[in-house]
Amino acid sequence: MSVANPSKTERIDVRASTVVKQLLQDAARASHKNVSEFLLDAGVTAAAQTLADRRQFVLNDAKWQAFQQALDRPVQDKPRLKKLLRKPGVLG
């Protein structure tokens, strides 16, 4: 899906506090964009980064073979990891 020059047929409504709205307006102005352009550019970039590792997994042949070998190796006991995962974390 190309997002370079999509036709703009859909609307996205966003509610924000006065402080956040002012911040977005200031950032848009500094970027020589209007708020809609600024939000869309930032949102598309963030969305692409968020989804990149969930959509595509690219390795050359040598790294793919190494990855396959790692997956095929027998499971190894990791006592220190097991101990770490049994301890309560900082959040409880």
Side-chain angles (χ1 to χ4, degrees):
M1 171 177 80
S2 174
V3 292
N5 287 316
S7 62
K8 296 177 181 175
T9 60
E10 298 297 322
R11 184 174 183 85
I12 300 172
D13 295 316
V14 178
R15 294 204 177 271
S17 68
T18 302
V19 173
V20 169
K21 181 180 178 183
Q22 187 62 55
L23 177 66
L24 292 170
Q25 288 172 330
D26 292 346
R29 196 170 17 264
S31 300
H32 306 288
K33 299 176 182 179
N34 63 41
V35 174
S36 290
E37 292 168 333
F38 181 81
L39 286 173
L40 281 173
D41 288 348
V44 167
T45 298
Q49 290 173 345
T50 298
L51 297 174
D53 66 343
R54 292 173 172 92
R55 290 187 172 174
Q56 194 171 27
F57 190 71
V58 180
L59 297 173
N60 64 29
D61 289 341
K63 288 185 177 182
W64 177 252
Q65 288 302 319
F67 177 69
Q68 288 290 319
Q69 289 172 357
L71 290 177
D72 291 340
R73 272 195 301 257
V75 175
Q76 296 176 347
D77 189 36
K78 307 266 188 212
R80 291 185 353 205
L81 179 60
K82 193 181 292 186
K83 179 181 175 185
L84 175 67
L85 293 175
R86 286 190 177 137
K87 291 169 51 175
V90 293
L91 299 176

